[in-house]
Amino acid sequence: METKPERHHRHEEARDGEDDAVAMEHGALSLQRGGATLFGWRQDEEAGRRRRVEIREVDFFSRDSRARSHDDAGDGRDDVNIGLHLLTTTSPDEEMTAAAAKNQKIEASSAVEAELRRVVEDNRRLRGMMNELTRNYGAMYQQLLQVTQHHPHRQHPVDLMINRSSLAHTRLTTAASYNDDTSAQQLLRVEDEAASDGAGEASPSLSNGGNHNDGGDGKQRRTSSNVTAPPARENGGGERAELPAHKTRVSVRARSEAPMISDGCQWRKYGQKMAKGNPCPRAYYRCTMAVACPVRKQVQRCAEDKTILVTTYEGHHNHPLPPAAATMASTTSAAATMLLSGPATSRDGAAALLGHPAALFQFHHSSSIPYASTMATLSASAPFPTITLDLTQTPGGVVGSGGGLLLPHHGLGLHRPPSGIHPVAAPAMPLSPLATLLQQLPPTGSMSLAGLVARHEQQQSVMETVTAAIAANPNFTTALAAAISSVMAGAAHQAQPTPRAGNIGSAGEANGSAGGAAAGPTAAGAYGASGGSPRFATQSACTTSTT
DNA sequence: CGTTTTTGACCCGCGC
DNA sequence: GCGCGGGTCAAAAACG
């Protein structure tokens, strides 16, 4: 059943912020308590191993440790021998041997201490880097706000998207759900109009304000129409009357064994249906983060490949999104924006594929970003214009078997794979571009400072590449905004479990892999080189099925 | 006891 | 008009 994990996650949410230690263990970008765990579980694991070693030393040679501490403090006392003499009757030779052994232990302890000091220093440096990143983000955010305020009515859709994407309150289906025709241009126009009414910049968190489509519950379905249509039935008819005729949807295809991907929002299941041609039932969820939030989503497994979970979002949130959801929204909207703002090609019959993903993500490839393999398509052949983000494609060289992207446990709030499933084979879920960058960093084999520094340098190198990409392709700014938003969300809320992620995932927060908001259970420890662990719940293939 | 899930019934659009 | 399929409702059950 889905209920247990879901509720478990609710517990996690309730504990949000109460357990920094756990957060640190799980946080991919945790900088709390002086223990930066910037590189995910491997570092955690390494740190844990060191802690274990340290504990063993302390427990077994506690006297030595204290004596050394005193020596270091300069009081010059040596109370070690006192204890030994009191407890043993040893010969002079034995005493010498014991003393030698003691000295060795003291030296070992000193080495450990020195290493710890180095690690602490490194953590301090990492904190500084993170603070700088935070400042940069703030500056960029302010600039975006200024741009938005100065050009409230002439904002380019892409800019708009950037603005919205970079905010923590980006709606989940940024490019979706406009009650307009199927034309992408119109869709963009509606976006622009939505911005001009003031809701866009004044309240980035609220997409409903100026949105044509909502105001309602999203229940009007494909009715032609309009507000004047009589209620279909007594109950709920009013809601339906406010709903749009046609909605654009955002569909995300990802590999997951969880019943539902965790996007940071709270969902309430209100229906389940057997769809024709698919043995797996389709589940219908409604956003419950705010009263009358019109956003709905459908979750269904792909008939051809049951490991692929297809999540379709529809509607705009009428409330601020939690960071985890904002992250997801940013990623989704970024891809959608790039899709919509790209050069037009044809595909899917009359459908418009506005911008070939491969081209759009070209710079991604140049940066070795696996996110590049994400396929985003816009189809107008469906009943609704639907933007599909296919995250099931295997990025070259990123993952081995299993296919699909390995997700970071960065703020996305994704599921971990069930314990026992090797991370390499873990299902893929959407991830933010920068999270992917971080994920791309090689695992830390040891906790050596050199390794950390090397990773930092590598990370900086990647960042430089990203910067170059921005200059090369304006569209990428959207992705960057999403990435920054993701990082910020992950850093600030990495200890925050995904709200009601249980819908989705098995809970538990067990051992720590870097998890960000997606901190979750167990299998994390086995998470390999990706440095991140998608959160997957233990679930059967047809996860949405409850029978 | 409040919230969420389950599930059968119902509504609606569409094609024939 | 009828049947089909998609989507939603709402009472009952389940859960914590």
Side-chain angles (χ1 to χ4, degrees):
Chain A
M1 299 288 278
E2 304 168 354
T3 59
K4 288 184 179 178
E6 174 172 324
R7 284 172 183 169
H8 194 132
H9 275 269
R10 193 167 48 180
H11 282 292
E12 291 184 11
E13 181 183 26
R15 294 176 44 191
D16 177 23
E18 295 177 5
D19 194 345
D20 288 347
V22 171
M24 217 183 92
E25 288 290 320
H26 293 183
L29 279 169
S30 171
L31 294 173
Q32 301 175 8
R33 293 195 177 178
T37 55
L38 197 55
F39 302 112
W41 74 270
R42 282 183 177 272
Q43 181 167 347
D44 295 336
E45 184 184 62
E46 190 65 28
R49 193 180 307 133
R50 181 170 291 107
R51 274 197 300 274
R52 285 194 294 273
V53 171
E54 178 184 342
I55 289 172
R56 187 165 55 236
E57 292 282 347
V58 169
D59 288 345
F60 204 79
F61 303 110
S62 57
R63 288 179 181 274
D64 297 328
S65 179
R66 279 197 298 269
R68 189 190 63 254
S69 298
H70 290 167
D71 289 343
D72 290 344
D75 68 5
R77 288 188 305 169
D78 185 2
D79 53 353
V80 177
N81 287 341
I82 295 175
L84 291 175
H85 280 302
L86 287 176
L87 297 176
T88 61
T89 56
T90 55
S91 68
D93 288 345
E94 289 173 331
E95 282 186 15
M96 290 182 62
T97 303
K102 203 186 318 168
N103 287 336
Q104 288 180 352
K105 292 160 192 166
I106 290 174
E107 288 174 1
S109 297
S110 299
V112 170
E113 268 196 356
E115 179 71 13
L116 285 175
R117 274 193 291 270
R118 283 196 297 271
V119 170
V120 168
E121 179 60 29
D122 186 64
N123 284 340
R124 193 173 298 120
R125 209 153 36 78
L126 291 175
R127 256 200 313 279
M129 292 174 60
M130 191 61 203
N131 289 336
E132 186 174 350
L133 181 62
T134 301
R135 284 193 300 271
N136 291 340
Y137 170 80
M140 290 180 64
Y141 177 48
Q142 290 301 323
Q143 288 177 5
L144 284 170
L145 288 180
Q146 288 176 4
V147 169
T148 304
Q149 289 168 355
H150 291 163
H151 308 284
H153 301 290
R154 291 184 173 276
Q155 197 167 15
H156 188 277
V158 173
D159 295 334
L160 246 184
M161 299 292 277
I162 293 169
N163 183 31
R164 296 183 178 185
S165 299
S166 62
L167 300 178
H169 305 304
T170 305
R171 60 176 175 260
L172 194 56
T173 55
T174 306
S177 309
Y178 300 98
N179 58 336
D180 212 326
D181 309 16
T182 60
S183 159
Q185 281 80 8
Q186 285 176 316
L187 190 145
L188 290 174
R189 174 173 52 77
V190 173
E191 174 82 327
D192 206 357
E193 291 171 358
S196 352
D197 64 17
E201 64 272 14
S203 177
S205 61
L206 302 179
S207 56
N208 250 4
N211 212 310
H212 310 0
N213 103 341
D214 339 307
D217 192 23
K219 273 181 271 180
Q220 187 169 4
R221 303 190 294 216
R222 285 159 291 171
T223 63
S224 49
S225 357
N226 44 49
V227 228
T228 59
R233 50 171 142 170
E234 195 68 23
N235 49 354
E239 281 182 304
R240 292 178 184 223
E242 300 175 2
L243 296 171
H246 288 275
K247 295 179 179 181
T248 304
R249 295 173 167 179
V250 170
S251 181
V252 178
R253 288 167 54 90
R255 293 185 187 281
S256 171
E257 293 193 0
M260 189 166 75
I261 64 174
S262 172
D263 42 36
C265 286
Q266 298 177 6
W267 301 96
R268 178 177 179 273
K269 188 176 183 178
Y270 67 88
Q272 179 170 302
K273 264 265 188 182
M274 291 301 299
K276 191 178 183 182
N278 193 330
C280 298
R282 175 182 302 164
Y284 300 89
Y285 295 88
R286 180 177 297 156
C287 178
T288 60
M289 293 198 71
V291 178
C293 178
V295 174
R296 307 196 173 192
K297 76 172 180 180
Q298 301 174 10
V299 179
Q300 187 175 32
R301 296 213 164 265
C302 180
E304 292 78 18
D305 185 354
K306 290 186 174 57
T307 65
I308 295 177
L309 196 64
V310 181
T311 305
T312 303
Y313 295 94
E314 176 182 317
H316 292 175
H317 291 281
N318 62 355
H319 54 86
L321 292 175
T327 298
M328 183 80 164
S330 299
T331 303
T332 304
S333 62
T337 300
M338 286 189 284
L339 171 67
L340 292 171
S341 61
T345 60
S346 65
R347 172 185 170 137
D348 198 13
L353 174 61
L354 301 177
H356 195 283
L360 291 172
F361 289 116
Q362 184 176 349
F363 43 83
H364 280 169
H365 279 297
S366 67
S367 303
S368 301
I369 304 174
Y371 188 66
S373 66
T374 295
M375 295 295 294
T377 59
L378 174 64
S379 171
S381 61
F384 315 109
T386 301
I387 296 166
T388 301
L389 302 179
D390 191 348
L391 302 172
T392 62
Q393 306 300 314
T394 304
V398 176
V399 263
S401 61
L405 297 176
L406 284 180
L407 299 176
H409 5 208
H410 184 62
L412 281 176
L414 301 166
H415 307 277
R416 294 175 182 279
S419 58
I421 290 183
H422 192 277
V424 171
M429 296 299 300
L431 72 171
S432 65
L434 193 54
T436 309
L437 294 182
L438 298 176
Q439 173 187 338
Q440 281 300 283
L441 296 176
T444 306
S446 67
M447 261 306 265
S448 71
L449 238 176
L452 290 175
V453 171
R455 300 190 70 149
H456 284 216
E457 290 174 350
Q458 189 167 356
Q459 186 180 17
Q460 288 175 342
S461 172
V462 174
M463 290 301 293
E464 289 171 1
T465 306
V466 170
T467 304
I470 294 172
N473 190 332
N475 287 339
F476 188 71
T477 53
T478 302
L480 177 65
I484 293 174
S485 177
S486 301
V487 169
M488 297 308 298
H493 300 270
Q494 53 86 24
Q496 174 184 353
T498 306
R500 283 201 57 75
N503 254 343
I504 347 164
S506 78
E509 29 196 319
N511 46 35
S513 82
T522 56
Y527 209 111
S530 70
S533 170
R535 238 159 77 159
F536 294 99
T538 54
Q539 186 82 16
S540 61
C542 292
T543 52
T544 56
S545 172
T546 55
T547 53

